[in-house]
Amino acid sequence: MMRRMTQPKVFIIILNWNGKDRIIPCLRSVFSLGYGNVEGVVVDNASRDGSLELARSSFGRAHFIVNERNVGFAAGMNVGIRFAISKGAEYVWILNNGTIVGKDALSVLVDAARESGKALLSPLILTPSGKTWFSAGKIDFIRMRSVHADPDVASREHEPYETGYLTGCALFAPKEVFEAAGLFDERFFLYYEDADFSLRAKKTGYRLLVVPKSVVVHGEQSVDNPEKVYWLVLSGLRFFEEHTPWYLHLWMQLYILLRKMKNKTDKKKGKKEAFLVASAYEDFRSRGKS
């Protein structure tokens, strides 16, 4: 009990949308953590597959917040973050509902946060087969994309190290960063909200660190979503319009023009993804800047 009183209060926020096959293993790992002063929050984006009911019946000690509709990742996580801060959270750990957290993963992150000062943190994130899913991130302004860096960058024996951005899959943050940088930008329904938040936090003096001794397993499910390409393109356009350095603005316009030309060719060839890409460009032009 005394140990729990000395531990910072951490709220773990899990966003769920039709995650019936994933949410229970995720919550089971969260409530098996070797850290005492923690509370779990499930924010449900109007799931229709019974996953909310299943989670409630299995883990009644968690907090449950239900949105009336699917508001996306950024807005959904913001609901949970506001709730956590109102309940006295000192740190917030946002998790994808497809993650399995290591027993000591949170304790290692808390220790690293105390030693690192003003910093956002991510664990080393592995695939279920043990391969590296995220060990570092880089913003490639020339090709207009955010990329996961070379997996060989990280070793579980290394101390925390700097990265270009942090993924929202398992982002650990002190409450103060939300006062300094604001919450996630809700214009990003899906994708790039984490990179945007990382860069905004960095501008306010926060370091972006990967803590490889903290390990999380992530089973990537979004590859099955046919709308993934649409959101990647639309959110990417918004992100790079906001963050591209001034000296690359002309290049960005030229690169977008070249991509549009390729998209027209792909549509003529009947490629299904090309029509989603075209819709993203059109939506960005008509309302994406609002």
PDB file of all heavy atoms in Angstrom, residues 23 35 144 204 214:
ATOM      1  N   ILE A  23      -9.795  -6.624 -27.514  1.00  0.00           N
ATOM      2  CA  ILE A  23      -9.899  -5.822 -26.303  1.00  0.00           C
ATOM      3  C   ILE A  23      -9.682  -6.629 -25.025  1.00  0.00           C
ATOM      4  O   ILE A  23      -9.065  -6.142 -24.067  1.00  0.00           O
ATOM      5  CB  ILE A  23     -11.270  -5.089 -26.249  1.00  0.00           C
ATOM      6  CG1 ILE A  23     -11.309  -4.087 -25.102  1.00  0.00           C
ATOM      7  CG2 ILE A  23     -12.420  -6.074 -26.159  1.00  0.00           C
ATOM      8  CD1 ILE A  23     -10.349  -2.932 -25.251  1.00  0.00           C
ATOM      9  N   TYR A  35       2.400  -2.714 -11.524  1.00  0.00           N
ATOM     10  CA  TYR A  35       2.397  -1.308 -11.110  1.00  0.00           C
ATOM     11  C   TYR A  35       1.096  -1.060 -10.374  1.00  0.00           C
ATOM     12  O   TYR A  35       0.013  -1.387 -10.882  1.00  0.00           O
ATOM     13  CB  TYR A  35       2.529  -0.398 -12.336  1.00  0.00           C
ATOM     14  CG  TYR A  35       2.730   1.070 -12.004  1.00  0.00           C
ATOM     15  CD1 TYR A  35       4.008   1.576 -11.806  1.00  0.00           C
ATOM     16  CD2 TYR A  35       1.649   1.930 -11.876  1.00  0.00           C
ATOM     17  CE1 TYR A  35       4.210   2.925 -11.498  1.00  0.00           C
ATOM     18  CE2 TYR A  35       1.829   3.268 -11.567  1.00  0.00           C
ATOM     19  CZ  TYR A  35       3.112   3.770 -11.381  1.00  0.00           C
ATOM     20  OH  TYR A  35       3.300   5.097 -11.070  1.00  0.00           O
ATOM     21  N   MET A 144       7.092  12.959 -48.271  1.00  0.00           N
ATOM     22  CA  MET A 144       5.832  13.241 -47.585  1.00  0.00           C
ATOM     23  C   MET A 144       5.248  11.987 -46.930  1.00  0.00           C
ATOM     24  O   MET A 144       4.153  11.549 -47.265  1.00  0.00           O
ATOM     25  CB  MET A 144       4.821  13.862 -48.548  1.00  0.00           C
ATOM     26  CG  MET A 144       5.167  15.269 -48.999  1.00  0.00           C
ATOM     27  SD  MET A 144       3.901  15.994 -50.086  1.00  0.00           S
ATOM     28  CE  MET A 144       2.477  16.029 -49.001  1.00  0.00           C
ATOM     29  N   THR A 204       7.366  22.822 -27.764  1.00  0.00           N
ATOM     30  CA  THR A 204       7.204  23.393 -26.427  1.00  0.00           C
ATOM     31  C   THR A 204       8.290  22.922 -25.466  1.00  0.00           C
ATOM     32  O   THR A 204       8.210  23.184 -24.265  1.00  0.00           O
ATOM     33  CB  THR A 204       5.823  23.045 -25.838  1.00  0.00           C
ATOM     34  OG1 THR A 204       5.744  21.632 -25.594  1.00  0.00           O
ATOM     35  CG2 THR A 204       4.705  23.473 -26.770  1.00  0.00           C
ATOM     36  N   SER A 214      11.245  -1.134 -22.036  1.00  0.00           N
ATOM     37  CA  SER A 214       9.796  -1.311 -21.892  1.00  0.00           C
ATOM     38  C   SER A 214       9.276  -1.908 -23.197  1.00  0.00           C
ATOM     39  O   SER A 214       9.517  -1.370 -24.272  1.00  0.00           O
ATOM     40  CB  SER A 214       9.117   0.037 -21.632  1.00  0.00           C
ATOM     41  OG  SER A 214       7.709  -0.095 -21.607  1.00  0.00           O
TER      42      SER A 214
END
